[in-house]
Amino acid sequence: MPPHPHRPPELAWQVFRGSEAIRRGLLSRHHLRGASWIRLRQDVYADARLDRDHALACRAALLRMPPGAAIAGPSAAYLHGVEHAADYTDDVHVLLPATVRADSQPGVRVHHAPMSSTRSGLLVPVGSAAPERTSPPAGTGSPVAAPPSGDRLPGTPGRTRSPSPADSRRGPRPRGPAAPPASTAASNPFTESSPGAVMILAGPPPRTEPAACAWETAVWVDPVKAVGIVDGLLRTGSVNRSALASEAARNACRPGGRRAAWVFGLTDGLAQSPPESHLRVRLVLAGLPRPVAQYPVRASTGLILHPDLAWPEFRVAVEYDGQWHSDADRMHLDRRRLNQFVAAGWLVLHVTGRRLLKEFPALVREIRAALVARGWRP
Protein backbone atom coordinates (compact mmCIF):
# COMPACT_ATOMS: atom_id res chain seq x y z
CA MET A 1 0.00 0.00 0.00
CA PRO A 2 1.53 3.40 -1.01
CA PRO A 3 2.54 5.69 1.86
CA HIS A 4 0.13 8.44 2.83
CA PRO A 5 1.18 11.74 1.16
CA HIS A 6 2.91 14.10 3.56
CA ARG A 7 1.19 17.48 3.11
CA PRO A 8 1.23 19.89 6.06
CA PRO A 9 -2.06 21.84 6.18
CA GLU A 10 -0.15 25.10 5.83
CA LEU A 11 1.15 24.04 2.39
CA ALA A 12 -1.87 22.18 0.99
CA TRP A 13 -2.98 23.68 -2.35
CA GLN A 14 -0.26 26.33 -2.05
CA VAL A 15 2.75 27.67 -3.98
CA PHE A 16 5.67 28.19 -1.62
CA ARG A 17 9.41 28.63 -1.12
CA GLY A 18 10.99 25.25 -0.42
CA SER A 19 13.86 26.66 1.64
CA GLU A 20 11.43 28.38 4.01
CA ALA A 21 9.30 25.27 4.39
CA ILE A 22 12.44 23.35 5.38
CA ARG A 23 13.68 26.09 7.71
CA ARG A 24 10.35 26.11 9.55
CA GLY A 25 10.32 22.36 9.91
CA LEU A 26 7.27 21.77 7.72
CA LEU A 27 9.12 19.63 5.17
CA SER A 28 12.47 18.01 4.58
CA ARG A 29 14.47 17.92 1.35
CA HIS A 30 13.39 14.30 1.03
CA HIS A 31 9.72 15.33 1.25
CA LEU A 32 10.18 17.95 -1.50
CA ARG A 33 11.41 15.24 -3.86
CA GLY A 34 8.23 13.23 -3.30
CA ALA A 35 5.17 13.00 -5.52
CA SER A 36 3.16 15.37 -3.29
CA TRP A 37 5.01 18.39 -4.67
CA ILE A 38 6.06 19.78 -8.03
CA ARG A 39 9.11 21.98 -8.52
CA LEU A 40 8.13 25.05 -10.56
CA ARG A 41 11.23 27.23 -10.35
CA GLN A 42 14.41 27.42 -8.32
CA ASP A 43 13.33 27.05 -4.68
CA VAL A 44 9.63 27.35 -5.65
CA TYR A 45 7.33 24.37 -5.18
CA ALA A 46 3.59 23.72 -5.34
CA ASP A 47 1.06 21.13 -4.29
CA ALA A 48 1.10 18.58 -7.13
CA ARG A 49 -2.72 18.54 -7.20
CA LEU A 50 -2.87 22.09 -8.58
CA ASP A 51 -3.71 22.51 -12.27
CA ARG A 52 -0.70 23.05 -14.53
CA ASP A 53 -1.91 26.29 -16.08
CA HIS A 54 -0.52 29.77 -16.64
CA ALA A 55 -1.97 31.02 -13.36
CA LEU A 56 0.26 28.52 -11.54
CA ALA A 57 3.27 29.77 -13.52
CA CYS A 58 2.37 33.35 -12.55
CA ARG A 59 2.22 32.51 -8.86
CA ALA A 60 5.59 30.78 -9.08
CA ALA A 61 7.19 33.72 -10.90
CA LEU A 62 6.02 36.24 -8.30
CA LEU A 63 7.72 34.35 -5.49
CA ARG A 64 11.05 35.03 -7.23
CA MET A 65 10.33 38.71 -7.92
CA PRO A 66 11.04 41.80 -5.79
CA PRO A 67 8.21 43.41 -3.79
CA GLY A 68 5.98 45.59 -5.96
CA ALA A 69 5.75 43.13 -8.87
CA ALA A 70 2.48 42.60 -10.75
CA ILE A 71 1.49 40.23 -13.54
CA ALA A 72 1.04 42.14 -16.81
CA GLY A 73 0.43 41.87 -20.55
CA PRO A 74 -0.79 38.53 -21.93
CA SER A 75 -0.23 36.89 -18.54
CA ALA A 76 -2.62 39.38 -16.93
CA ALA A 77 -5.08 38.81 -19.79
CA TYR A 78 -5.07 35.11 -18.90
CA LEU A 79 -5.87 35.96 -15.29
CA HIS A 80 -8.70 38.20 -16.53
CA GLY A 81 -10.32 35.20 -18.22
CA VAL A 82 -8.74 34.99 -21.70
CA GLU A 83 -7.55 31.39 -21.49
CA HIS A 84 -5.85 31.34 -24.90
CA ALA A 85 -3.64 34.33 -23.96
CA ALA A 86 -0.96 32.07 -22.46
CA ASP A 87 -0.16 28.45 -21.69
CA TYR A 88 1.55 26.82 -18.72
CA THR A 89 4.89 26.76 -20.57
CA ASP A 90 4.71 30.34 -21.90
CA ASP A 91 6.81 33.13 -20.41
CA VAL A 92 5.24 35.05 -17.53
CA HIS A 93 5.18 38.83 -18.07
CA VAL A 94 5.89 40.80 -14.89
CA LEU A 95 5.71 44.58 -14.42
CA LEU A 96 7.88 46.31 -11.81
CA PRO A 97 7.90 49.90 -10.56
CA ALA A 98 10.31 52.11 -12.46
CA THR A 99 12.80 52.34 -9.57
CA VAL A 100 12.92 48.61 -8.81
CA ARG A 101 15.53 46.68 -10.73
CA ALA A 102 15.41 42.97 -11.51
CA ASP A 103 16.57 40.93 -14.48
CA SER A 104 14.48 38.66 -16.65
CA GLN A 105 14.84 34.97 -15.84
CA PRO A 106 14.18 31.83 -17.88
CA GLY A 107 10.41 31.77 -18.27
CA VAL A 108 9.92 35.31 -16.92
CA ARG A 109 9.98 38.57 -18.88
CA VAL A 110 10.48 41.63 -16.70
CA HIS A 111 9.13 45.04 -17.77
CA HIS A 112 9.29 48.36 -15.96
CA ALA A 113 6.56 50.93 -15.52
CA PRO A 114 7.36 54.46 -16.76
CA MET A 115 8.12 57.45 -14.60
CA SER A 116 5.21 59.78 -13.89
CA SER A 117 4.70 63.28 -12.49
CA THR A 118 2.17 61.89 -10.03
CA ARG A 119 2.13 58.65 -8.11
CA SER A 120 -0.34 56.17 -9.60
CA GLY A 121 -0.18 52.43 -9.00
CA LEU A 122 3.19 51.15 -10.19
CA LEU A 123 4.14 54.53 -11.70
CA VAL A 124 6.86 56.37 -9.81
CA PRO A 125 7.10 60.18 -9.55
CA VAL A 126 9.85 61.79 -11.61
CA GLY A 127 12.78 62.74 -9.40
CA SER A 128 12.03 60.24 -6.65
CA ALA A 129 15.04 58.60 -5.10
CA ALA A 130 15.74 55.23 -6.62
CA PRO A 131 16.37 52.52 -4.02
CA GLU A 132 19.25 50.12 -4.27
CA ARG A 133 18.82 47.05 -6.42
CA THR A 134 16.26 44.78 -4.78
CA SER A 135 16.89 41.07 -4.47
CA PRO A 136 14.12 38.45 -4.74
CA PRO A 137 11.80 38.30 -1.77
CA ALA A 138 13.60 35.53 0.12
CA GLY A 139 14.58 37.00 3.45
CA THR A 140 12.07 39.85 3.30
CA GLY A 141 8.57 40.25 4.56
CA SER A 142 7.56 43.15 2.34
CA PRO A 143 4.17 42.93 0.68
CA VAL A 144 3.66 43.09 -3.06
CA ALA A 145 1.83 46.14 -4.37
CA ALA A 146 -1.79 45.78 -5.46
CA PRO A 147 -2.65 46.02 -9.16
CA PRO A 148 -2.06 49.62 -10.31
CA SER A 149 -5.10 51.65 -9.42
CA GLY A 150 -3.97 54.36 -11.83
CA ASP A 151 -4.73 52.06 -14.74
CA ARG A 152 -8.45 52.01 -13.95
CA LEU A 153 -10.12 54.45 -16.30
CA PRO A 154 -12.26 57.31 -14.98
CA GLY A 155 -15.89 56.32 -14.94
CA THR A 156 -15.10 52.63 -15.34
CA PRO A 157 -16.35 50.70 -12.30
CA GLY A 158 -14.05 48.15 -10.74
CA ARG A 159 -14.85 44.62 -11.82
CA THR A 160 -15.54 41.85 -9.33
CA ARG A 161 -13.58 38.90 -10.61
CA SER A 162 -14.50 35.29 -10.28
CA PRO A 163 -11.76 33.06 -8.85
CA SER A 164 -8.67 32.96 -11.03
CA PRO A 165 -7.93 29.87 -13.14
CA ALA A 166 -5.36 28.88 -10.56
CA ASP A 167 -8.18 28.31 -8.06
CA SER A 168 -9.60 25.36 -10.01
CA ARG A 169 -8.81 22.14 -8.19
CA ARG A 170 -8.59 18.49 -9.12
CA GLY A 171 -10.68 16.96 -6.36
CA PRO A 172 -12.07 18.25 -3.06
CA ARG A 173 -10.00 20.72 -1.15
CA PRO A 174 -8.94 19.50 2.30
CA ARG A 175 -9.45 21.58 5.36
CA GLY A 176 -6.62 23.99 5.95
CA PRO A 177 -5.99 27.58 6.93
CA ALA A 178 -8.78 29.90 5.94
CA ALA A 179 -8.02 31.90 2.80
CA PRO A 180 -7.48 35.61 3.43
CA PRO A 181 -10.20 38.02 2.31
CA ALA A 182 -9.95 39.09 -1.34
CA SER A 183 -8.98 42.64 -0.42
CA THR A 184 -6.21 41.44 1.84
CA ALA A 185 -4.89 38.98 -0.73
CA ALA A 186 -4.82 41.65 -3.41
CA SER A 187 -2.84 44.09 -1.28
CA ASN A 188 -0.58 41.53 0.37
CA PRO A 189 -0.54 38.20 -1.47
CA PHE A 190 2.58 37.02 0.34
CA THR A 191 1.72 35.45 3.66
CA GLU A 192 3.89 34.22 6.50
CA SER A 193 3.07 31.31 8.75
CA SER A 194 5.60 32.67 11.26
CA PRO A 195 7.94 35.64 11.53
CA GLY A 196 10.72 35.47 8.96
CA ALA A 197 11.03 35.30 5.21
CA VAL A 198 8.11 35.21 2.80
CA MET A 199 7.06 31.62 2.15
CA ILE A 200 3.59 31.41 0.56
CA LEU A 201 1.87 33.35 -2.20
CA ALA A 202 -1.80 33.32 -1.18
CA GLY A 203 -4.80 34.70 -2.99
CA PRO A 204 -5.05 35.85 -6.62
CA PRO A 205 -1.80 37.19 -8.10
CA PRO A 206 -1.71 41.01 -8.41
CA ARG A 207 -2.20 42.03 -12.04
CA THR A 208 -2.62 45.12 -14.17
CA GLU A 209 -6.16 46.25 -15.00
CA PRO A 210 -7.78 44.91 -18.23
CA ALA A 211 -7.29 48.13 -20.25
CA ALA A 212 -3.67 48.38 -19.13
CA CYS A 213 -2.89 44.73 -19.88
CA ALA A 214 -4.51 45.17 -23.32
CA TRP A 215 -2.11 48.07 -24.01
CA GLU A 216 0.86 46.05 -22.75
CA THR A 217 -0.14 43.08 -24.89
CA ALA A 218 -0.42 45.29 -27.97
CA VAL A 219 3.11 46.61 -27.41
CA TRP A 220 4.88 43.43 -26.28
CA VAL A 221 3.29 40.68 -28.39
CA ASP A 222 3.20 39.84 -32.11
CA PRO A 223 0.34 41.94 -33.60
CA VAL A 224 -1.71 39.00 -34.89
CA LYS A 225 -1.63 37.21 -31.54
CA ALA A 226 -2.11 40.50 -29.67
CA VAL A 227 -5.33 41.25 -31.58
CA GLY A 228 -6.65 37.79 -30.68
CA ILE A 229 -5.95 38.41 -26.99
CA VAL A 230 -7.52 41.89 -26.97
CA ASP A 231 -10.49 40.47 -28.88
CA GLY A 232 -10.81 37.98 -26.02
CA LEU A 233 -10.83 40.79 -23.44
CA LEU A 234 -13.55 42.55 -25.44
CA ARG A 235 -15.57 39.36 -25.85
CA THR A 236 -15.52 38.55 -22.12
CA GLY A 237 -16.53 42.11 -21.22
CA SER A 238 -13.35 42.76 -19.24
CA VAL A 239 -12.82 45.90 -21.31
CA ASN A 240 -14.74 47.87 -23.94
CA ARG A 241 -13.71 49.88 -27.00
CA SER A 242 -14.12 53.18 -25.14
CA ALA A 243 -11.70 52.00 -22.47
CA LEU A 244 -9.19 50.94 -25.15
CA ALA A 245 -9.42 54.34 -26.83
CA SER A 246 -8.87 56.10 -23.49
CA GLU A 247 -5.91 53.86 -22.69
CA ALA A 248 -4.35 54.50 -26.11
CA ALA A 249 -4.80 58.27 -25.73
CA ARG A 250 -3.38 58.26 -22.20
CA ASN A 251 -0.25 56.40 -23.32
CA ALA A 252 0.12 57.97 -26.77
CA CYS A 253 3.51 59.51 -25.91
CA ARG A 254 4.99 56.37 -24.41
CA PRO A 255 7.25 54.11 -26.49
CA GLY A 256 4.94 51.75 -28.36
CA GLY A 257 2.01 54.16 -28.22
CA ARG A 258 1.50 54.26 -31.99
CA ARG A 259 1.79 50.47 -32.23
CA ALA A 260 -0.83 49.98 -29.50
CA ALA A 261 -3.27 52.37 -31.20
CA TRP A 262 -2.78 50.49 -34.49
CA VAL A 263 -3.39 47.11 -32.85
CA PHE A 264 -6.49 48.43 -31.06
CA GLY A 265 -7.80 49.61 -34.42
CA LEU A 266 -7.60 46.03 -35.71
CA THR A 267 -9.56 44.53 -32.83
CA ASP A 268 -13.16 43.35 -32.95
CA GLY A 269 -14.80 41.70 -29.97
CA LEU A 270 -17.27 39.82 -32.17
CA ALA A 271 -14.83 37.06 -33.15
CA GLN A 272 -15.90 33.72 -31.67
CA SER A 273 -12.43 32.16 -31.43
CA PRO A 274 -8.73 33.13 -31.60
CA PRO A 275 -8.27 31.61 -35.12
CA GLU A 276 -11.09 33.81 -36.40
CA SER A 277 -9.30 36.87 -35.01
CA HIS A 278 -5.99 35.74 -36.51
CA LEU A 279 -7.59 35.07 -39.90
CA ARG A 280 -9.28 38.47 -39.98
CA VAL A 281 -6.08 40.36 -39.15
CA ARG A 282 -3.90 38.38 -41.55
CA LEU A 283 -6.33 39.01 -44.41
CA VAL A 284 -6.24 42.75 -43.71
CA LEU A 285 -2.43 42.75 -43.51
CA ALA A 286 -2.39 40.86 -46.83
CA GLY A 287 -4.12 43.81 -48.49
CA LEU A 288 -7.74 42.65 -48.59
CA PRO A 289 -10.55 44.98 -47.50
CA ARG A 290 -11.45 44.61 -43.84
CA PRO A 291 -14.20 42.02 -43.32
CA VAL A 292 -17.09 42.36 -40.90
CA ALA A 293 -17.31 39.75 -38.14
CA GLN A 294 -20.66 38.04 -37.51
CA TYR A 295 -22.54 40.12 -40.09
CA PRO A 296 -26.31 39.27 -40.03
CA VAL A 297 -27.53 37.59 -43.22
CA ARG A 298 -31.25 36.87 -43.61
CA ALA A 299 -31.93 33.50 -45.30
CA SER A 300 -34.96 32.83 -47.49
CA THR A 301 -36.56 31.00 -44.55
CA GLY A 302 -36.32 34.15 -42.42
CA LEU A 303 -33.50 32.70 -40.30
CA ILE A 304 -30.67 35.12 -39.49
CA LEU A 305 -27.22 33.65 -40.20
CA HIS A 306 -23.93 35.10 -38.99
CA PRO A 307 -20.87 34.13 -41.07
CA ASP A 308 -17.52 34.35 -39.30
CA LEU A 309 -16.25 37.02 -41.72
CA ALA A 310 -18.18 38.85 -44.45
CA TRP A 311 -17.85 41.54 -47.09
CA PRO A 312 -21.54 42.59 -47.28
CA GLU A 313 -21.05 44.88 -50.29
CA PHE A 314 -19.91 41.92 -52.39
CA ARG A 315 -21.89 39.17 -50.64
CA VAL A 316 -18.74 37.16 -50.00
CA ALA A 317 -18.25 35.35 -46.69
CA VAL A 318 -15.57 33.21 -45.06
CA GLU A 319 -16.30 30.48 -42.52
CA TYR A 320 -13.54 29.11 -40.29
CA ASP A 321 -13.88 25.37 -39.73
CA GLY A 322 -12.12 24.19 -36.59
CA GLN A 323 -11.59 20.54 -35.65
CA TRP A 324 -15.07 20.22 -34.16
CA HIS A 325 -16.57 20.87 -37.60
CA SER A 326 -15.43 17.39 -38.69
CA ASP A 327 -18.12 15.80 -36.52
CA ALA A 328 -20.84 14.16 -38.69
CA ASP A 329 -23.71 16.05 -37.04
CA ARG A 330 -21.82 19.32 -37.25
CA MET A 331 -21.01 18.73 -40.93
CA HIS A 332 -24.71 18.10 -41.62
CA LEU A 333 -25.63 21.45 -40.05
CA ASP A 334 -22.77 23.22 -41.86
CA ARG A 335 -23.92 21.95 -45.26
CA ARG A 336 -27.50 23.02 -44.59
CA ARG A 337 -26.21 26.41 -43.48
CA LEU A 338 -24.10 26.68 -46.66
CA ASN A 339 -27.15 25.98 -48.83
CA GLN A 340 -29.02 28.78 -47.07
CA PHE A 341 -26.17 31.22 -47.79
CA VAL A 342 -26.15 30.22 -51.46
CA ALA A 343 -29.93 30.63 -51.74
CA ALA A 344 -29.52 34.16 -50.32
CA GLY A 345 -27.02 34.98 -53.08
CA TRP A 346 -23.82 34.71 -51.03
CA LEU A 347 -20.51 33.16 -52.05
CA VAL A 348 -19.01 31.30 -49.08
CA LEU A 349 -15.41 30.06 -48.79
CA HIS A 350 -14.35 27.68 -46.02
CA VAL A 351 -11.01 27.90 -44.21
CA THR A 352 -9.54 25.08 -42.13
CA GLY A 353 -6.87 25.38 -39.48
CA ARG A 354 -4.39 23.54 -41.71
CA ARG A 355 -4.91 25.95 -44.59
CA LEU A 356 -4.60 28.97 -42.29
CA LEU A 357 -1.30 27.63 -40.98
CA LYS A 358 0.29 26.12 -44.10
CA GLU A 359 -1.50 27.48 -47.19
CA PHE A 360 -2.23 31.08 -46.34
CA PRO A 361 -0.89 32.69 -49.58
CA ALA A 362 -3.10 30.40 -51.69
CA LEU A 363 -6.01 31.17 -49.40
CA VAL A 364 -5.53 34.91 -49.91
CA ARG A 365 -5.49 34.45 -53.68
CA GLU A 366 -8.77 32.53 -53.57
CA ILE A 367 -10.53 35.12 -51.42
CA ARG A 368 -9.13 37.96 -53.54
CA ALA A 369 -10.41 36.27 -56.71
CA ALA A 370 -13.87 35.82 -55.15
CA LEU A 371 -14.03 39.50 -54.17
CA VAL A 372 -12.87 40.64 -57.61
CA ALA A 373 -15.48 38.39 -59.26
CA ARG A 374 -18.14 40.09 -57.14
CA GLY A 375 -17.05 43.60 -58.05
CA TRP A 376 -14.16 44.59 -55.77
CA ARG A 377 -11.48 46.69 -57.43
CA PRO A 378 -8.13 46.56 -55.59
Side-chain angles (χ1 to χ4, degrees):
M1 185 173 180
H4 184 71
H6 178 69
R7 289 192 181 96
E10 299 92 333
L11 302 180
W13 304 104
Q14 300 291 350
V15 178
F16 60 92
R17 296 295 294 266
S19 58
E20 276 302 300
I22 293 173
R23 187 182 71 81
R24 299 178 191 188
L26 297 173
L27 295 172
S28 67
R29 294 186 183 277
H30 174 73
H31 288 142
L32 285 176
R33 289 192 291 267
S36 298
W37 315 105
I38 178 176
R39 182 180 183 273
L40 301 176
R41 309 188 64 78
Q42 180 183 359
D43 194 34
V44 179
Y45 294 80
D47 190 322
R49 296 170 295 179
L50 289 170
D51 289 335
R52 284 11 170 223
D53 57 16
H54 195 67
L56 184 64
C58 291
R59 295 169 69 186
L62 284 178
L63 271 178
R64 298 289 300 174
M65 284 289 107
I71 301 301
S75 297
Y78 178 91
L79 297 178
H80 285 299
V82 184
E83 294 188 1
H84 63 81
D87 293 327
Y88 174 59
T89 57
D90 288 339
D91 288 349
V92 175
H93 290 261
V94 175
L95 187 68
L96 293 176
T99 56
V100 176
R101 289 290 171 259
D103 296 327
S104 294
Q105 307 168 6
V108 179
R109 297 189 187 184
V110 173
H111 310 270
H112 288 87
M115 304 294 284
S116 172
S117 58
T118 58
R119 184 174 296 277
S120 177
L122 289 178
L123 304 184
V124 177
V126 175
S128 62
E132 296 181 359
R133 185 181 184 87
T134 308
S135 59
T140 70
S142 304
V144 164
S149 58
D151 285 333
R152 182 174 290 118
L153 299 170
T156 302
R159 289 175 53 80
T160 303
R161 278 186 32 79
S162 57
S164 73
D167 292 333
S168 59
R169 310 298 184 206
R170 295 193 182 107
R173 179 168 182 168
R175 291 185 178 274
S183 59
T184 303
S187 61
N188 184 15
F190 294 105
T191 61
E192 298 177 289
S193 58
S194 63
V198 170
M199 180 174 70
I200 292 173
L201 174 60
R207 71 213 68 175
T208 54
E209 294 290 333
C213 84
W215 190 93
E216 295 154 359
T217 299
V219 176
W220 301 341
V221 178
D222 169 79
V224 174
K225 182 177 180 181
V227 169
I229 294 173
V230 179
D231 273 357
L233 289 169
L234 289 167
R235 185 170 59 251
T236 59
S238 299
V239 73
N240 55 42
R241 300 198 68 84
S242 175
L244 292 182
S246 298
E247 191 72 14
R250 189 166 68 87
N251 294 288
C253 295
R254 288 179 58 186
R258 292 178 62 184
R259 175 190 174 107
W262 173 65
V263 169
F264 286 173
L266 292 171
T267 59
D268 185 335
L270 297 176
Q272 300 298 302
S273 68
E276 291 178 23
S277 296
H278 301 163
L279 174 60
R280 185 189 72 248
V281 176
R282 292 184 66 183
L283 291 177
V284 172
L285 297 181
L288 297 183
R290 179 166 180 165
V292 179
Q294 305 299 314
Y295 180 80
V297 175
R298 182 177 295 276
S300 58
T301 60
L303 182 67
I304 302 298
L305 306 173
H306 296 85
D308 296 332
L309 300 175
W311 290 267
E313 181 182 354
F314 310 108
R315 293 201 171 190
V316 174
V318 168
E319 294 272 68
Y320 178 79
D321 295 340
Q323 291 183 351
W324 70 290
H325 284 267
S326 61
D327 176 78
D329 292 336
R330 183 68 249 178
M331 184 176 294
H332 167 73
L333 295 175
D334 285 346
R335 292 300 174 263
R336 186 173 66 180
R337 174 184 169 90
L338 175 60
N339 292 342
Q340 292 173 323
F341 275 121
V342 172
W346 282 71
L347 175 60
V348 180
L349 295 90
H350 286 261
V351 177
T352 63
R354 180 182 298 180
R355 295 208 70 196
L356 178 59
L357 180 64
K358 298 183 177 181
E359 301 177 13
F360 187 72
L363 185 62
V364 171
R365 289 194 297 269
E366 294 171 10
I367 298 175
R368 180 186 296 272
L371 289 170
V372 169
R374 287 298 184 100
W376 177 54
R377 295 295 176 260

